[in-house]
C-alpha cells in the first residue's frame, strides 16, 4: 500500500515538469510504482527520496519568492 502511495507521489512530481495534469502522470506513477516494488526496499527509498526532494525544492522556492 505504501508503494502505491509513493508511486502516486512520484508520478505527480514527474507530471508537474510539463505543467499539465492528466493521465500521463497517473501512468508514469503506476509504472514507477511497479518498478519500485520490483526493486524492493531500495526502490521505495529511492522513490520516496525523489518525491521528498522535489517537495523540499518547491517549498524552498516558495519561501524565496515570498521573501521569508
Amino acid at each position: 500500500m505504501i508503494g502505491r502511495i509513493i508511486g502516486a507521489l512520484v508520478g505527480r512530481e514527474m507530471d508537474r515538469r510539463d505543467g499539465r495534469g492528466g493521465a500521463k502522470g497517473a501512468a508514469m506513477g503506476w509504472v514507477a510504482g511497479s518498478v519500485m516494488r520490483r526493486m524492493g526496499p531500495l526502490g521505495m527509498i529511492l522513490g520516496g527520496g525523489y518525491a521528498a526532494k522535489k517537495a523540499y525544492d518547491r517549498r524552498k522556492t516558495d519561501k524565496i519568492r515570498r521573501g521569508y
Side-chain angles (χ1 to χ4, degrees), residues 8-61:
L9 292 173
V10 169
R12 181 182 69 175
E13 294 299 332
M14 291 172 74
D15 195 39
R16 283 188 174 186
R17 287 188 295 188
D18 65 0
R20 296 181 301 182
K24 181 179 167 187
M28 286 191 293
W30 180 73
V31 169
S34 298
V35 169
M36 287 186 302
R37 276 192 297 277
R38 298 227 185 261
M39 290 177 66
L42 178 64
M44 293 298 153
I45 291 169
L46 292 174
Y50 175 78
K53 171 83 167 86
K54 292 294 185 177
Y56 175 75
D57 289 345
R58 190 177 323 106
R59 182 176 174 166
K60 192 168 142 181
T61 303

